[in-house]
Amino acid sequence: MEPKSIPVRVRFAPSPTGDLHIGGLRTTLFNWLFAKHNNGLFLLRIEDTDRERSMQKYTDSIMASLAWVGLTPDEPVVVQSTRIDEHLRLANELVVRGSAYRCTCSQEEALDRYAQRGGHAEQVHYDGMCRDKNISADVGKPYVIRFKIPDATDAIVFEDMIRGTVTIPRDQLDDFIIVRSDGAPVYNFVVVADDAFMRITHIIRGEEHIINTPKQIMLYTALGYAIPIFAHIPLVLGPSGQKLSKREAATAVIEYKKAGFLPEALINYLARLGWAHGDQERFTKQELVSYFDLTRVSTSGAIFDSEKLLWLNSVYMREKTDDELYALITLEYGAYEQSKEMVLALIALYKERARTLKELYDAVLNALQGPAEYHDIDLQPLRTQEIAARLERLADRLEHLSSWDNDAVTAVLKTYAKEIGVKFADVVHPLRIALIGTSSGPGACALAVLLGKEESLRRLVRLYDTIRRMHDAGL
Ligand code: GLU
């Protein structure tokens, strides 16, 4: 437990340069759960200092995704760009205090000198040429502001809540830039200024930021701020073992909404990605809040398993009432032309089979509209004159039926199957293909009853006409 005197405050700090990534949502979730578990606060900061790549539409989309899953911040959102004057004030203060200095070395010069020392370009270390030059702001040339690593630094060591002790030796660090020559403060600097401003106690973020942490720790110290506790979460990996890519699965949270996932299923799934509580798979949000323990997050990357997410989604869908499912699918994909009563009856027939809201919506739409085309694999065994004749006779029997209910339709099919010496399934399957285009699906008699006599017969006629046409065309 955290000491009661310091309320936990955590944040998610996305850059609005794209839609919210599924890995970002897991980071948000772990922050949110950690905050709620400790009676703390979850905050949001939009890191929009990259003016070229940041866009309002992405801020809106990130906020919409978070609202969709119900992980909303407990205080007003902080927008990083509104604090730029404060960032620059702090950077200048560091210069005045001697913790940072102006540097006029061009990148090429620094690179040349580095190469002469035998270094590799991909890990350039600045040699401190301007460290003690006391360059003033009116030097008349472009300059950057660099942080001056304190001479006494041997290594930066910190306790990561997930990874344990992390040590970064001095020789992996150099006097890094905190304000670029165009006057823009860099990420490592503003993140510290803003986290301190927001009184963040725990920084829970993706492990790609672990290389930034030593720099940030030095800045906390130089600025006189308390150093927060860090926790770096392993990446979400695709089945290939690499960082989850668009080729392997949808990566934007918004895509999961469009694809018909329920937010509670996605949250449940992501909570289990790299964290476990025994072998429990299903969790309510309340259970997650009470059991969540950051120190039990796995240190290795978690593999995203789309099949498991689909399974979990179908479990959550089955728990919804037909009315709830109706509201969800019509909100996401639009209203149907047919009556709500008819749609509800079809939802009841299909909900056990659909794994996503989209599958449910499409299946109901397909049932309502009739098959646009038949599945080849289902049609293949029906393509004989004999079967076409058999279906025509079945249509004739059904047409003469006086009551159109499940028992009556089933009885006609059973009697007919017996009369012609085939199995009941051999009559039911073609009927289902006629009604919805495929041999698998809900009970064909129930479907026929729902669709009504006239529509069912129209679809039966269309099927045997199609079979005959194909036969005549020699297909
Ligand atoms: N803005 C950073 C990003 O989107 C996050 C910074 C952080 O969490 O420290 O990756």
Side-chain angles (χ1 to χ4, degrees):
M1 268 311 261
E2 300 311 311
K4 292 261 179 297
S5 53
I6 311 169
V8 163
R9 292 171 66 87
V10 298
R11 60 29 170 207
F12 176 55
S15 307
T17 54
D19 294 316
L20 180 60
H21 188 277
I22 200 83
L25 179 57
R26 190 182 58 145
T27 303
T28 310
L29 176 63
F30 284 9
N31 270 284
W32 188 89
L33 290 173
F34 181 76
K36 302 296 151 179
H37 180 83
N38 291 292
N39 295 317
L41 296 180
F42 165 71
L43 313 182
L44 184 68
R45 180 172 69 241
I46 298 294
E47 303 215 311
D48 60 342
T49 40
D50 182 341
R51 301 311 267 164
E52 261 162 36
R53 290 174 60 231
S54 299
M55 289 190 201
Q56 185 59 39
K57 68 168 184 184
Y58 292 130
T59 297
D60 296 344
S61 144
I62 292 168
M63 302 286 286
S65 295
L66 293 179
W68 176 58
V69 293
L71 302 181
T72 46
D74 297 315
E75 285 183 3
V77 176
V78 172
V79 178
Q80 194 155 60
S81 59
T82 62
R83 292 188 21 87
I84 182 109
D85 291 347
E86 176 62 6
H87 300 147
L88 291 174
R89 189 189 70 73
L90 287 170
N92 283 318
E93 201 175 296
L94 285 187
V95 175
V96 172
R97 282 201 225 148
S99 297
Y101 58 91
R102 296 185 186 89
C103 162
T104 52
C105 299
S106 70
Q107 222 177 353
E108 293 75 37
E109 285 165 3
L111 207 71
D112 281 352
R113 292 202 302 268
Y114 186 67
Q116 280 162 20
R117 296 194 326 266
H120 293 290
E122 58 276 12
Q123 28 174 273
V124 180
H125 277 191
Y126 180 63
D127 60 3
M129 182 68 106
C130 294
R131 221 171 192 241
D132 301 312
K133 286 189 183 165
N134 252 326
I135 295 169
S136 67
D138 55 10
V139 58
K141 314 205 238 178
Y143 62 82
V144 297
I145 299 180
R146 289 184 183 271
F147 179 71
K148 189 189 252 180
I149 296 192
D151 290 332
T153 311
D154 277 341
I156 300 294
V157 181
F158 66 96
E159 281 307 312
D160 188 288
M161 282 182 79
I162 296 172
R163 307 169 153 249
T165 308
V166 179
T167 306
I168 300 93
R170 171 70 176 89
D171 63 9
Q172 286 184 20
L173 304 163
D174 68 353
D175 285 354
F176 56 93
I177 295 173
I178 58 172
V179 179
R180 290 201 304 252
S181 59
D182 62 1
V186 305
Y187 157 74
N188 274 314
F189 186 68
V190 292
V191 84
V192 170
D194 290 350
D195 281 332
F197 167 72
M198 291 165 78
R199 291 177 286 122
I200 300 303
T201 56
H202 296 74
I203 294 186
I204 305 164
R205 60 185 172 194
E207 69 176 7
E208 67 273 24
H209 287 293
I210 207 156
I211 51 158
N212 296 317
T213 306
K215 296 179 183 174
Q216 294 174 14
I217 287 176
M218 290 190 285
L219 286 168
Y220 277 102
T221 308
L223 288 162
Y225 301 143
I227 301 170
I229 294 169
F230 291 91
H232 290 93
I233 308 172
L235 292 175
V236 175
L237 306 176
S240 63
Q242 302 295 314
K243 186 177 174 189
L244 185 68
S245 73
K246 284 189 183 146
R247 269 176 292 109
E248 293 174 309
T251 52
V253 173
I254 212 78
E255 296 294 325
Y256 286 86
K257 179 170 185 282
K258 287 186 202 146
F261 287 88
L262 293 169
E264 51 272 47
L266 187 59
I267 288 297
N268 188 155
Y269 176 72
L270 289 178
R272 282 283 290 102
L273 202 54
W275 173 83
H277 180 75
D279 46 20
Q280 186 170 339
E281 289 292 355
R282 284 282 321 273
F283 294 89
T284 62
K285 231 179 192 172
Q286 202 40 52
E287 283 175 320
L288 288 175
V289 168
S290 38
Y291 303 150
F292 188 70
D293 178 357
L294 202 48
T295 61
R296 299 236 317 277
V297 169
S298 145
T299 50
S300 49
I303 299 193
F304 190 82
D305 179 350
S306 309
E307 280 304 312
K308 185 171 167 193
L309 173 59
L310 279 167
W311 164 77
L312 207 50
N313 201 58
S314 66
V315 171
Y316 275 89
M317 274 180 67
R318 265 176 244 144
E319 285 166 11
K320 298 271 179 211
T321 64
D322 299 347
D323 261 308
E324 285 168 336
L325 290 170
Y326 177 86
L328 285 164
I329 58 180
T330 51
L331 185 70
E332 189 66 35
Y333 308 111
Y336 294 99
E337 280 169 18
Q338 290 76 0
S339 71
K340 179 173 178 184
E341 195 192 353
M342 172 83 145
V343 173
L344 280 175
L346 284 167
I347 288 175
L349 277 187
Y350 275 103
K351 83 189 234 194
E352 295 289 321
R353 298 164 187 277
R355 297 173 304 168
T356 63
L357 296 174
K358 181 84 171 88
E359 281 181 13
L360 181 63
Y361 177 84
D362 287 345
V364 169
L365 189 67
N366 177 57
L368 289 169
Q369 293 181 338
E373 55 193 22
Y374 306 104
H375 284 205
D376 264 355
I377 189 157
D378 293 321
L379 201 55
Q380 197 60 32
L382 307 183
R383 285 165 46 182
T384 64
Q385 289 286 40
E386 192 199 329
I387 290 196
R390 196 194 275 175
L391 291 176
E392 186 172 6
R393 284 198 299 276
L394 177 64
D396 190 53
R397 297 272 175 109
L398 288 170
E399 195 173 359
H400 288 94
L401 202 57
S402 52
S403 58
W404 192 256
D405 57 42
N406 208 36
D407 288 347
V409 173
T410 310
V412 167
L413 263 68
K414 279 203 168 135
T415 314
Y416 185 59
K418 210 167 172 187
E419 263 178 47
I420 61 174
V422 299
K423 285 188 279 184
F424 180 59
D426 294 334
V427 190
V428 169
H429 278 193
L431 176 62
R432 195 183 289 111
I433 293 168
L435 297 178
I436 58 171
T438 157
S439 64
S440 65
C445 297
L447 269 171
V449 171
L450 261 176
L451 295 170
K453 186 175 187 177
E454 198 183 323
E455 179 62 17
S456 301
L457 289 176
R458 198 180 61 77
R459 294 185 192 182
L460 250 182
V461 172
R462 189 181 148 212
L463 177 60
Y464 65 70
D465 275 355
T466 305
I467 296 172
R468 282 185 178 141
R469 262 203 317 277
M470 289 175 90
H471 189 269
D472 292 349
L475 292 172

